[in-house]
Amino acid sequence: MMQTPDRGSHELDELFRAYRAACPDPEPGANFMPQLWQRIESRQTFSSFMIRMAGGFATAAVALTLLMAAYLYMPPSNGTVPSQTYVEALAASYAPEDPDLIEPVYFETSDLTGTL
């Protein structure tokens, strides 16, 4: 069902009349703009507070990241340099003092083949 242009424009005019009735024009006066800005700013107080808080948190995160990077970049101040590498230190700490503790492991293969 196709609408004619006259019917569509008539419905649009009714919609505009209903809008004008629901939202009357404000009376212009000396305090119109200050009152308008006061209403706008009163609605934006929470959002501006959250924006300032987010900016503060972002600044703190950047500062903390730079401090941690500087701390990790600086060499230790005690001046001692390890004489061996990490792998050498692990190998030295794992070497058994008593070779009797190391025993070879033997498997009996005859028991394994009989159960299959």
Side-chain angles (χ1 to χ4, degrees), residues 31-46:
N31 291 329
F32 172 72
M33 287 305 288
Q35 288 175 352
L36 178 65
W37 280 110
Q38 186 179 19
R39 285 188 295 176
I40 290 171
E41 289 173 353
S42 69
R43 292 180 183 170
Q44 290 181 346
T45 56
F46 181 72

